[in-house]
Amino acid sequence: MKAHYNTIDMYKSARLLTSKLGLLVSFSFLFFTFSCSDTKPHLGEHETKSEAEGLLHQEFYMTKDPALGYIPIERKFEGAQQTLQLLNTSRTNNFVWQERGPNNIAGRVRAVLIDRRDGSGNTIFAGGVSGGLWKCTNFKTNPTWALISDSLPNVAIGCIAQDPSNPNIMYAGTGEGWFNADAMRGNGILKTIDGGNTWFQLPSTRNSVSGNFDYVQDIEVTSTGVVYAATRSITFCNNGGVLRSVDGGNTWTRSIGTMASTCADAANYRGADLEVASNGDLYATTGFQSGSTINLGRIWKSPASLGAAQGTDGNWTEITPAGTWRRIEIAVAPSNPNVIYALLQAGSNNAIGGLRRSDDGGATWFTLPLPTWCDQGQTSTDFTRTQAWFDLIAQVDPNNPQVCYIGGVDILKTVDGGTSWQQITQWANGCSGLPNVHADQHEILFFGNSSTELLAANDGGIYYSSTAGQSWTSRNNNFNITQFYSIDHHPQQTNFLLGGTQDNGTLRFTLPSVNTVAEVFGGDGGFAHIDQTDGVLQVASATGNNYRVSRNSGASFNVVVQGGSSATGRFINPSDYDDENDILVAGHNANTMAVVTGIAGPGNPQVNQVAMPTLNGRQISAVKVDPNGGATGTVWIAGSTASNASAATSPNLIKLTAVQSLAPTVLHGQTFSAAFLPEGSYISCIDVETGNADHVVITISNYGVPSVLESLDGGATWANVEGNLPDVPVRWVLIAPNNAQLNGPSGGTGGLIVGTELGVWTTTQTNGPGTIWLPNNRLFPLTRVDMLKYRRLDNLLSAATHGRGLFTTNIPSIPTSVNTVANTKGFVDYVSANQQHLFIKTGTLTGVRNITINVLDAKGRLVMTERTNYAPKTLDIGKLAPGMYVVKIYGDKKETYTRQIVK
């Protein structure tokens, strides 16, 4: 991940890392100025530049090590090994996870390979940018994808290549290095020698060995098995570039990339695109995301006539068209290796700057006209919509050099060598009935020698055309690489779930097992909420304080929230819903809290800005409505460094009451000392135990800091219970109910559940620094978990992963301490409850005059009793804390009825 931090922090971080690794590299302040000022976040189809920069800030501050000033991603890989070792023990096999999908929506794909061993073209390998490696063997007929492994050393797959000399050998590069805000850092190159059944990491490419393979943008393999990788480093100015291996990736030498003495003269260390022409000539492009001379876009050629010297250092000739460029994408015609198309980002901005074509192998170039592009009915000549650094791809028809396809936001095509262009897809509507294909194109491939069959990979997965681009169909069945930010459950409808996702909006689940989902609100989906009283009121969000409300149990989300704005709050803005008072409490800008009132109607809800001077310059990073607060509306908020702050601060924690009045009272406020939580620590989640308001747990998502803190006295004192958790970001925590068996029957009951960068971990007993955590990740991907939600009705635990969709499990639990016997037939028809009342519908047994109603909590303690006549009853349970209870009803002649309820 490319951090968007100030140049001084970057300079200090690089110096420190240089010292630790013992590398003889001299860093200049100039280089880091380029790195900072030229970082451009992803502007997805529903985002603005300022919003995407907000995500960049948020992710950086959430995960950086405050002591270092950067994100030490190598610790995640060390933690992954620790996790895999623990997963080999039977103690971690308690949760049985079920994948829930979605199966009809995929996330961003940059890496696709059509397996040359299958002449039918039905076997495809593909990678998600944060979702691992997948395989499909019936792509053209009835495609269904299967995950190759959930335990790869890195799941950020950016490119795939096959060895033409031995097609059982393939390489997959990790990391998405184009500087988009949500990119995952890679960790070298994966390799298979058995046709893709098993993959292993090439040791020479691990981040701990060098910084050459932090991000692998492209891989090409020549007909003789020589491997080329276009890469860049996250930190070092003289790592990356174009690397070459003649021994299958065991060792590497640099082909392109030079530095005389300092970073000020380092050049061509950002490898971008690689191409092998049909005559064996090699082409490469370097440079992107910078207007500096050392990082400008360039095209290089190394002809096959060089023999064994081809592709070696010093045997590349620059053939860049005249002009100043940043990212460059090239495509060579398979039927005429002298014909090259070049797509060039402007050297001074993010737009497409020009199209060029060469008919003599790059010796000379001539200018092609920029196509006219339709975007929701509006036309322009920038088919990338100022995203040329992010989505740029070209491919030439295998049989006709005059036919070329190019992609930016949408796909365009020429049949006359680039003299004219025709748009053939649209991401939205409004463009003369063009077929809809998801936005942001990253790959176009033809099937063998066919001129009519091709596929396109983009931010919505993979699409297929058998009509030379005239029509397209989605090929994403079970291709579950969706990046979730949030999840919530319906209190009564078992399979109704609502979750926010990156670039695919807020999704609604209604089916068991893997789901075909519906998008209820577009854009980047933020936190989603369902009123736990009856599920009628629901809230979907996009970025910042941008909300839509449903008042019909999720059938439609057409209630507009007034005063909402993507410009306030964090990019994915923390919030929590108060079921008792029908308000939403959320983050806003520094020293401000957002409270959404009027959700239940009848008019439009309103975002209210509530001044919170107690934040003292901070911005809300976590919100928790106290489940024990009742009508008074008690809320906990955490303040962490504001996204636009010039200096980091230690976080603080505040407890409020009467929030719904828009003039809340501070019940408790504290700022953590820098010695306990360093400046720049980010509180990512707060949880309060149901039935015990003094039990509070918070998580901190940075590397290098205590990640789980627990208080048993309402926040007066705190204990670090991180224990043996790997040093990776922890984004969510749940306090498990007392009867939950987190680590098996012999592991005790109750405890904590956390969502981490490496799946879900649990502990049944906190013991300060000696707390023992176990990964409960059987049948669960080794990936980032952004949110966990628990439903007491059926012990359902949901995990929202950022890259592998949604997973659920039913937590094993012991029976309550209340002994139950068979219910007397006809004695009581049913018992139900909401937040305020217990409803009892008696039957019609004769001879029963009076009944005794006992209500016991989860520990078997009697909390309410009433003797009354035998008739339907409504009892007031408003004073009982939310949670699980057992209702036992006795009749005059030993009639018995027992039922578990959730308040």
PDB file of all heavy atoms in Angstrom, residues 672-696:
ATOM      1  N   PHE A 672      -5.450   8.659  26.147  1.00  0.00           N
ATOM      2  CA  PHE A 672      -4.417   7.689  26.485  1.00  0.00           C
ATOM      3  C   PHE A 672      -3.048   8.343  26.419  1.00  0.00           C
ATOM      4  O   PHE A 672      -2.762   9.145  25.516  1.00  0.00           O
ATOM      5  CB  PHE A 672      -4.480   6.503  25.534  1.00  0.00           C
ATOM      6  CG  PHE A 672      -5.718   5.663  25.709  1.00  0.00           C
ATOM      7  CD1 PHE A 672      -6.825   5.856  24.894  1.00  0.00           C
ATOM      8  CD2 PHE A 672      -5.783   4.691  26.690  1.00  0.00           C
ATOM      9  CE1 PHE A 672      -7.967   5.087  25.043  1.00  0.00           C
ATOM     10  CE2 PHE A 672      -6.927   3.919  26.857  1.00  0.00           C
ATOM     11  CZ  PHE A 672      -8.021   4.121  26.033  1.00  0.00           C
ATOM     12  N   SER A 673      -2.225   8.013  27.345  1.00  0.00           N
ATOM     13  CA  SER A 673      -0.877   8.569  27.356  1.00  0.00           C
ATOM     14  C   SER A 673      -0.081   8.028  26.186  1.00  0.00           C
ATOM     15  O   SER A 673      -0.303   6.902  25.719  1.00  0.00           O
ATOM     16  CB  SER A 673      -0.173   8.217  28.667  1.00  0.00           C
ATOM     17  OG  SER A 673       0.113   6.832  28.724  1.00  0.00           O
ATOM     18  N   ALA A 674       0.866   8.831  25.722  1.00  0.00           N
ATOM     19  CA  ALA A 674       1.695   8.406  24.592  1.00  0.00           C
ATOM     20  C   ALA A 674       2.530   7.188  24.959  1.00  0.00           C
ATOM     21  O   ALA A 674       2.891   6.387  24.088  1.00  0.00           O
ATOM     22  CB  ALA A 674       2.588   9.557  24.143  1.00  0.00           C
ATOM     23  N   ALA A 675       2.821   7.019  26.253  1.00  0.00           N
ATOM     24  CA  ALA A 675       3.591   5.855  26.675  1.00  0.00           C
ATOM     25  C   ALA A 675       2.763   4.579  26.561  1.00  0.00           C
ATOM     26  O   ALA A 675       3.301   3.492  26.344  1.00  0.00           O
ATOM     27  CB  ALA A 675       4.067   6.048  28.115  1.00  0.00           C
ATOM     28  N   PHE A 676       1.436   4.719  26.713  1.00  0.00           N
ATOM     29  CA  PHE A 676       0.551   3.552  26.654  1.00  0.00           C
ATOM     30  C   PHE A 676       0.105   3.279  25.217  1.00  0.00           C
ATOM     31  O   PHE A 676       0.184   2.145  24.735  1.00  0.00           O
ATOM     32  CB  PHE A 676      -0.659   3.789  27.556  1.00  0.00           C
ATOM     33  CG  PHE A 676      -1.503   2.558  27.782  1.00  0.00           C
ATOM     34  CD1 PHE A 676      -0.963   1.430  28.375  1.00  0.00           C
ATOM     35  CD2 PHE A 676      -2.826   2.540  27.402  1.00  0.00           C
ATOM     36  CE1 PHE A 676      -1.739   0.297  28.584  1.00  0.00           C
ATOM     37  CE2 PHE A 676      -3.613   1.417  27.608  1.00  0.00           C
ATOM     38  CZ  PHE A 676      -3.057   0.286  28.207  1.00  0.00           C
ATOM     39  N   LEU A 677      -0.386   4.309  24.535  1.00  0.00           N
ATOM     40  CA  LEU A 677      -0.745   4.233  23.122  1.00  0.00           C
ATOM     41  C   LEU A 677      -0.031   5.366  22.399  1.00  0.00           C
ATOM     42  O   LEU A 677      -0.381   6.533  22.593  1.00  0.00           O
ATOM     43  CB  LEU A 677      -2.259   4.350  22.927  1.00  0.00           C
ATOM     44  CG  LEU A 677      -3.108   3.116  23.229  1.00  0.00           C
ATOM     45  CD1 LEU A 677      -4.578   3.410  22.949  1.00  0.00           C
ATOM     46  CD2 LEU A 677      -2.645   1.913  22.403  1.00  0.00           C
ATOM     47  N   PRO A 678       0.938   5.070  21.585  1.00  0.00           N
ATOM     48  CA  PRO A 678       1.743   6.124  20.950  1.00  0.00           C
ATOM     49  C   PRO A 678       0.907   7.083  20.123  1.00  0.00           C
ATOM     50  O   PRO A 678      -0.183   6.748  19.642  1.00  0.00           O
ATOM     51  CB  PRO A 678       2.710   5.327  20.065  1.00  0.00           C
ATOM     52  CG  PRO A 678       2.735   3.956  20.639  1.00  0.00           C
ATOM     53  CD  PRO A 678       1.381   3.723  21.207  1.00  0.00           C
ATOM     54  N   GLU A 679       1.427   8.273  19.960  1.00  0.00           N
ATOM     55  CA  GLU A 679       0.771   9.235  19.084  1.00  0.00           C
ATOM     56  C   GLU A 679       0.630   8.634  17.684  1.00  0.00           C
ATOM     57  O   GLU A 679       1.565   8.063  17.148  1.00  0.00           O
ATOM     58  CB  GLU A 679       1.585  10.528  19.015  1.00  0.00           C
ATOM     59  CG  GLU A 679       1.626  11.284  20.336  1.00  0.00           C
ATOM     60  CD  GLU A 679       2.469  12.541  20.253  1.00  0.00           C
ATOM     61  OE1 GLU A 679       3.171  12.717  19.238  1.00  0.00           O
ATOM     62  OE2 GLU A 679       2.436  13.340  21.205  1.00  0.00           O
ATOM     63  N   GLY A 680      -0.554   8.779  17.117  1.00  0.00           N
ATOM     64  CA  GLY A 680      -0.835   8.182  15.821  1.00  0.00           C
ATOM     65  C   GLY A 680      -1.546   6.851  15.902  1.00  0.00           C
ATOM     66  O   GLY A 680      -1.922   6.290  14.872  1.00  0.00           O
ATOM     67  N   SER A 681      -1.770   6.325  17.124  1.00  0.00           N
ATOM     68  CA  SER A 681      -2.528   5.076  17.265  1.00  0.00           C
ATOM     69  C   SER A 681      -3.986   5.322  16.888  1.00  0.00           C
ATOM     70  O   SER A 681      -4.561   6.353  17.216  1.00  0.00           O
ATOM     71  CB  SER A 681      -2.443   4.554  18.698  1.00  0.00           C
ATOM     72  OG  SER A 681      -1.109   4.241  19.045  1.00  0.00           O
ATOM     73  N   TYR A 682      -4.604   4.335  16.235  1.00  0.00           N
ATOM     74  CA  TYR A 682      -5.947   4.491  15.672  1.00  0.00           C
ATOM     75  C   TYR A 682      -6.878   3.472  16.312  1.00  0.00           C
ATOM     76  O   TYR A 682      -6.725   2.259  16.124  1.00  0.00           O
ATOM     77  CB  TYR A 682      -5.889   4.284  14.160  1.00  0.00           C
ATOM     78  CG  TYR A 682      -7.148   4.630  13.399  1.00  0.00           C
ATOM     79  CD1 TYR A 682      -7.233   5.809  12.681  1.00  0.00           C
ATOM     80  CD2 TYR A 682      -8.241   3.765  13.373  1.00  0.00           C
ATOM     81  CE1 TYR A 682      -8.379   6.142  11.955  1.00  0.00           C
ATOM     82  CE2 TYR A 682      -9.388   4.080  12.654  1.00  0.00           C
ATOM     83  CZ  TYR A 682      -9.450   5.262  11.942  1.00  0.00           C
ATOM     84  OH  TYR A 682     -10.586   5.575  11.231  1.00  0.00           O
ATOM     85  N   ILE A 683      -7.844   3.938  17.094  1.00  0.00           N
ATOM     86  CA  ILE A 683      -8.842   3.045  17.688  1.00  0.00           C
ATOM     87  C   ILE A 683      -9.849   2.683  16.609  1.00  0.00           C
ATOM     88  O   ILE A 683     -10.548   3.544  16.073  1.00  0.00           O
ATOM     89  CB  ILE A 683      -9.535   3.702  18.886  1.00  0.00           C
ATOM     90  CG1 ILE A 683      -8.513   3.976  20.010  1.00  0.00           C
ATOM     91  CG2 ILE A 683     -10.665   2.805  19.421  1.00  0.00           C
ATOM     92  CD1 ILE A 683      -9.095   4.674  21.223  1.00  0.00           C
ATOM     93  N   SER A 684      -9.935   1.393  16.290  1.00  0.00           N
ATOM     94  CA  SER A 684     -10.747   0.942  15.167  1.00  0.00           C
ATOM     95  C   SER A 684     -12.110   0.412  15.574  1.00  0.00           C
ATOM     96  O   SER A 684     -13.022   0.355  14.733  1.00  0.00           O
ATOM     97  CB  SER A 684      -9.995  -0.149  14.388  1.00  0.00           C
ATOM     98  OG  SER A 684      -9.616  -1.215  15.253  1.00  0.00           O
ATOM     99  N   CYS A 685     -12.285   0.009  16.854  1.00  0.00           N
ATOM    100  CA  CYS A 685     -13.552  -0.588  17.274  1.00  0.00           C
ATOM    101  C   CYS A 685     -13.699  -0.499  18.779  1.00  0.00           C
ATOM    102  O   CYS A 685     -12.704  -0.498  19.517  1.00  0.00           O
ATOM    103  CB  CYS A 685     -13.622  -2.052  16.814  1.00  0.00           C
ATOM    104  SG  CYS A 685     -15.188  -2.874  17.194  1.00  0.00           S
ATOM    105  N   ILE A 686     -14.952  -0.419  19.219  1.00  0.00           N
ATOM    106  CA  ILE A 686     -15.305  -0.435  20.641  1.00  0.00           C
ATOM    107  C   ILE A 686     -16.432  -1.441  20.818  1.00  0.00           C
ATOM    108  O   ILE A 686     -17.356  -1.493  20.002  1.00  0.00           O
ATOM    109  CB  ILE A 686     -15.805   0.942  21.126  1.00  0.00           C
ATOM    110  CG1 ILE A 686     -14.851   2.071  20.714  1.00  0.00           C
ATOM    111  CG2 ILE A 686     -16.039   0.946  22.632  1.00  0.00           C
ATOM    112  CD1 ILE A 686     -15.449   3.457  20.874  1.00  0.00           C
ATOM    113  N   ASP A 687     -16.389  -2.237  21.885  1.00  0.00           N
ATOM    114  CA  ASP A 687     -17.539  -3.078  22.221  1.00  0.00           C
ATOM    115  C   ASP A 687     -17.789  -3.011  23.721  1.00  0.00           C
ATOM    116  O   ASP A 687     -16.850  -2.848  24.524  1.00  0.00           O
ATOM    117  CB  ASP A 687     -17.330  -4.531  21.793  1.00  0.00           C
ATOM    118  CG  ASP A 687     -18.650  -5.298  21.725  1.00  0.00           C
ATOM    119  OD1 ASP A 687     -19.707  -4.651  21.566  1.00  0.00           O
ATOM    120  OD2 ASP A 687     -18.630  -6.542  21.818  1.00  0.00           O
ATOM    121  N   VAL A 688     -19.067  -3.115  24.086  1.00  0.00           N
ATOM    122  CA  VAL A 688     -19.506  -3.088  25.480  1.00  0.00           C
ATOM    123  C   VAL A 688     -20.339  -4.338  25.712  1.00  0.00           C
ATOM    124  O   VAL A 688     -21.214  -4.677  24.892  1.00  0.00           O
ATOM    125  CB  VAL A 688     -20.346  -1.832  25.784  1.00  0.00           C
ATOM    126  CG1 VAL A 688     -20.757  -1.799  27.245  1.00  0.00           C
ATOM    127  CG2 VAL A 688     -19.573  -0.567  25.415  1.00  0.00           C
ATOM    128  N   GLU A 689     -20.092  -5.030  26.804  1.00  0.00           N
ATOM    129  CA  GLU A 689     -20.796  -6.277  27.076  1.00  0.00           C
ATOM    130  C   GLU A 689     -22.269  -6.026  27.369  1.00  0.00           C
ATOM    131  O   GLU A 689     -22.621  -5.151  28.171  1.00  0.00           O
ATOM    132  CB  GLU A 689     -20.159  -7.020  28.240  1.00  0.00           C
ATOM    133  CG  GLU A 689     -20.825  -8.363  28.524  1.00  0.00           C
ATOM    134  CD  GLU A 689     -20.203  -9.109  29.682  1.00  0.00           C
ATOM    135  OE1 GLU A 689     -19.204  -8.619  30.244  1.00  0.00           O
ATOM    136  OE2 GLU A 689     -20.725 -10.188  30.031  1.00  0.00           O
ATOM    137  N   THR A 690     -23.127  -6.814  26.748  1.00  0.00           N
ATOM    138  CA  THR A 690     -24.546  -6.757  27.056  1.00  0.00           C
ATOM    139  C   THR A 690     -24.776  -7.295  28.463  1.00  0.00           C
ATOM    140  O   THR A 690     -24.384  -8.419  28.779  1.00  0.00           O
ATOM    141  CB  THR A 690     -25.347  -7.592  26.043  1.00  0.00           C
ATOM    142  OG1 THR A 690     -25.143  -7.049  24.735  1.00  0.00           O
ATOM    143  CG2 THR A 690     -26.830  -7.580  26.365  1.00  0.00           C
ATOM    144  N   GLY A 691     -25.394  -6.466  29.302  1.00  0.00           N
ATOM    145  CA  GLY A 691     -25.624  -6.846  30.690  1.00  0.00           C
ATOM    146  C   GLY A 691     -24.541  -6.411  31.646  1.00  0.00           C
ATOM    147  O   GLY A 691     -24.677  -6.577  32.864  1.00  0.00           O
ATOM    148  N   ASN A 692     -23.452  -5.845  31.154  1.00  0.00           N
ATOM    149  CA  ASN A 692     -22.355  -5.389  32.017  1.00  0.00           C
ATOM    150  C   ASN A 692     -21.704  -4.175  31.373  1.00  0.00           C
ATOM    151  O   ASN A 692     -20.750  -4.291  30.614  1.00  0.00           O
ATOM    152  CB  ASN A 692     -21.334  -6.505  32.227  1.00  0.00           C
ATOM    153  CG  ASN A 692     -20.187  -6.083  33.159  1.00  0.00           C
ATOM    154  OD1 ASN A 692     -20.197  -4.980  33.725  1.00  0.00           O
ATOM    155  ND2 ASN A 692     -19.205  -6.953  33.319  1.00  0.00           N
ATOM    156  N   ALA A 693     -22.220  -2.991  31.702  1.00  0.00           N
ATOM    157  CA  ALA A 693     -21.759  -1.765  31.065  1.00  0.00           C
ATOM    158  C   ALA A 693     -20.327  -1.405  31.436  1.00  0.00           C
ATOM    159  O   ALA A 693     -19.716  -0.550  30.778  1.00  0.00           O
ATOM    160  CB  ALA A 693     -22.688  -0.609  31.433  1.00  0.00           C
ATOM    161  N   ASP A 694     -19.785  -2.030  32.493  1.00  0.00           N
ATOM    162  CA  ASP A 694     -18.411  -1.725  32.896  1.00  0.00           C
ATOM    163  C   ASP A 694     -17.371  -2.496  32.088  1.00  0.00           C
ATOM    164  O   ASP A 694     -16.178  -2.196  32.160  1.00  0.00           O
ATOM    165  CB  ASP A 694     -18.220  -2.046  34.384  1.00  0.00           C
ATOM    166  CG  ASP A 694     -18.898  -1.031  35.279  1.00  0.00           C
ATOM    167  OD1 ASP A 694     -19.055   0.127  34.848  1.00  0.00           O
ATOM    168  OD2 ASP A 694     -19.282  -1.395  36.404  1.00  0.00           O
ATOM    169  N   HIS A 695     -17.815  -3.497  31.337  1.00  0.00           N
ATOM    170  CA  HIS A 695     -16.878  -4.302  30.549  1.00  0.00           C
ATOM    171  C   HIS A 695     -16.783  -3.727  29.146  1.00  0.00           C
ATOM    172  O   HIS A 695     -17.717  -3.840  28.344  1.00  0.00           O
ATOM    173  CB  HIS A 695     -17.341  -5.756  30.502  1.00  0.00           C
ATOM    174  CG  HIS A 695     -16.350  -6.678  29.852  1.00  0.00           C
ATOM    175  ND1 HIS A 695     -16.664  -7.951  29.436  1.00  0.00           N
ATOM    176  CD2 HIS A 695     -15.019  -6.519  29.558  1.00  0.00           C
ATOM    177  CE1 HIS A 695     -15.598  -8.527  28.906  1.00  0.00           C
ATOM    178  NE2 HIS A 695     -14.591  -7.667  28.969  1.00  0.00           N
ATOM    179  N   VAL A 696     -15.655  -3.077  28.853  1.00  0.00           N
ATOM    180  CA  VAL A 696     -15.440  -2.394  27.577  1.00  0.00           C
ATOM    181  C   VAL A 696     -14.141  -2.904  26.960  1.00  0.00           C
ATOM    182  O   VAL A 696     -13.135  -3.055  27.656  1.00  0.00           O
ATOM    183  CB  VAL A 696     -15.369  -0.863  27.760  1.00  0.00           C
ATOM    184  CG1 VAL A 696     -15.262  -0.159  26.419  1.00  0.00           C
ATOM    185  CG2 VAL A 696     -16.578  -0.352  28.543  1.00  0.00           C
TER     186      VAL A 696
END
